[in-house]
Amino acid sequence: MEIFVLAFFALGYLVLAGADIGVGMLLPYLGRTPGERRETIAAIAPFFLGNEVWLVVTAGVLAGLFPALEAELLHENYPLVVVLLLAWVVRDMGLWLRGRVPGRVWQAAWDGAIVAGSWGLALCWGALLSVVALGIQGPLLVLPALALTALFGTHGLAFAALRLRGVLRERAALLSGGAGELRTFALTAATLATVGALTGVRLEPVAGTSGALLVPVSLVMIPLLVAAQAWVWWTFRHRVTGPSYL
Amino acid sequence: MDTVELARLQFALTAGAHFLFVALTLGLATLVAVIQTRATLGGSPVHQGMTRFWGQLYIINYAMGIVTGLVMEFQLGLSWSGLTEFAGNAFGSALALETMIAFFVEATFLGLWIFGWNKLNRWAHLALIWVVTLTAYASAFWIMISNGFLQNPVGYRLDGGVLHLADFGAMIANPAALVAFGHVLSGAMVAGGFFMAGVSAYHLSRRTAEQDFFRKSLRLGLGLATPALMVTATFGGLGFETMQVTKLAAWSGDLAEAQAAMVAQHGPGDWLPPVSWVQWGGNGMMALFALMLLVAAPSALLMLFRPAVRGLRVWHWLLVAMIPVPFVTTLAGWIFREMGRQPWAVYGLLTTSEAMSPVSAGQMRFSVIAFTSVFAVLIVINYWLLARAAKAGPGAVALGDRPIETPAPVLTF
């Protein structure tokens, strides 16, 4: 049972945050002017905070239910996890700070932080998933890592196509071809979830001894947490019609 | 410095930075929730403006709290895998509960509160800030349960060389956790209250046109900070009842007996915390408490006289100067608590050097330098932004400015 709790939050993170990471990666492609960039950010603005907490809970579930695995996973990939965290911090700060001061230089700098941080996150996740799933180290790691980074980007485009309008929506639909926007998004989401699940299988996690407490709590909490997030999704279900707070 | 000391420095700097922002988050969330309640019930434009202005400062501060917090969470597995492997089955539960019961809801609803401004029903919007505030308290509660376990481990069973959770009730009834939770939470109210009073005093000293706005804010800030100071001190006093003998010994300077008792229990070794850190931390915290009380008590009287609130500039400047004091006090308190736990990671069960991950000195140096430099830059920028937004006043607030996702009016010629 423990493994389903872990999988639920980890896969939830990959699918949900994967979309806003992908949009961040392709910010310069989607938004060519400052106005377009702000509108592109508005596509993910209401969601990114609620998306990244899935990873915070994943780490919490690891600490509580799989303490041995948490220790092994994190310290054995020390430099990779450190860079991943730095990318996460830089990207979040870019999102929060870009609108705080008017001025092109300020906004361009923090937009740069969003793009660099999103690429950093996607590359680190690509590398981390590859290390765990394929057990490879060294230069060869670059290939699966880049493939997964491209998957994050595609997933971001699919999400942006669902959220944006007009020319931005057309740019986002670059890779969808004739397929519908929702079907493209479902496909990229399912691919990311599959990669995550296959990686999880390779981990062979052994649960600790707190399951008797934490599993029932998780089963009660999960519907509530999903309902809270569903309220966010419902509130922002319409396409973006202009800039948001960020 | 050896690798353990680098890892300790890294965690101390991250946790210290995190708590600077968390303390203000807890205090300001409470104040914003109270103000928004008045604004929703009464519909006065002053209260609505106050909600937006203080809410904006709260969000600037919150963002920094998140990024330091998530690095702190991951550091447990990164640099302290000895601790998670040994005690994860026990104190890890509290961390898991924090993320699931508290933080997930807090962050999700905070996003909805920010981006749903003018979009959601006003009662739903009010409910959101209260949920955000209460889950922030819950978050602090579970973190203090984990920290309390490390300070005073209870409710565990030692089996196969690692700890297991034996009695969840005992873990959450741990006096070393509950007293500290009360202390930390009321201390955060002091920080939030002094911040609000100080920023308001700045505007009143500049003869702001928003007299009503900042008079109400100043009174609210001092009205919270003054009683919160007394509550904080009461919990702090109770904290001495639950304190480890070695911490108490280091603080009072009466070391021989505690060392002898520890040697008898754990064998030869130096079982005392670094005395000067503990003494400076403890005494610094108490001296600054006295200073805050000296300012807050007369201020709580002065604020009843409208001419003083409007024109007593010396007092305004004093309140502005007091803004950093609760934060320094808080850090001194944490140094006292955490340095005083040394040399233990889990008191009496696992030493700090045993808690360390088997990572190389080079890796640790890289991460210390990387995290410290990135956070140093971000902290400077965020404090500058906080000061900038505080000085700019209510006229320049972006939060709740117009219905989110509604286009700005287009100029037609």
Coordinates of all heavy atoms in Angstrom, one line a residue, chain B residues 53 72 340 406:
Chain B
F53 N -2.4 45.6 0.8 CA -1.0 46.1 1.1 C -0.3 45.0 1.9 O 0.8 44.6 1.5 CB -1.1 47.4 1.8 CG 0.2 47.9 2.2 CD1 1.1 48.4 1.2 CD2 0.6 48.0 3.5 CE1 2.4 48.9 1.6 CE2 1.8 48.5 3.9 CZ 2.7 48.9 3.0
M72 N 15.8 22.8 2.6 CA 16.0 22.2 3.9 C 15.4 20.8 4.0 O 16.1 19.9 4.5 CB 15.3 23.1 5.0 CG 15.8 22.9 6.4 SD 15.2 24.2 7.4 CE 13.7 23.6 8.0
G340 N 22.7 23.9 21.7 CA 22.6 23.3 23.0 C 22.3 21.8 22.9 O 22.4 21.0 23.9
T406 N -8.3 39.5 -16.5 CA -9.1 40.5 -17.3 C -8.1 41.4 -17.9 O -7.3 42.0 -17.2 CB -10.1 41.2 -16.4 OG1 -10.9 40.3 -15.7 CG2 -10.9 42.2 -17.2

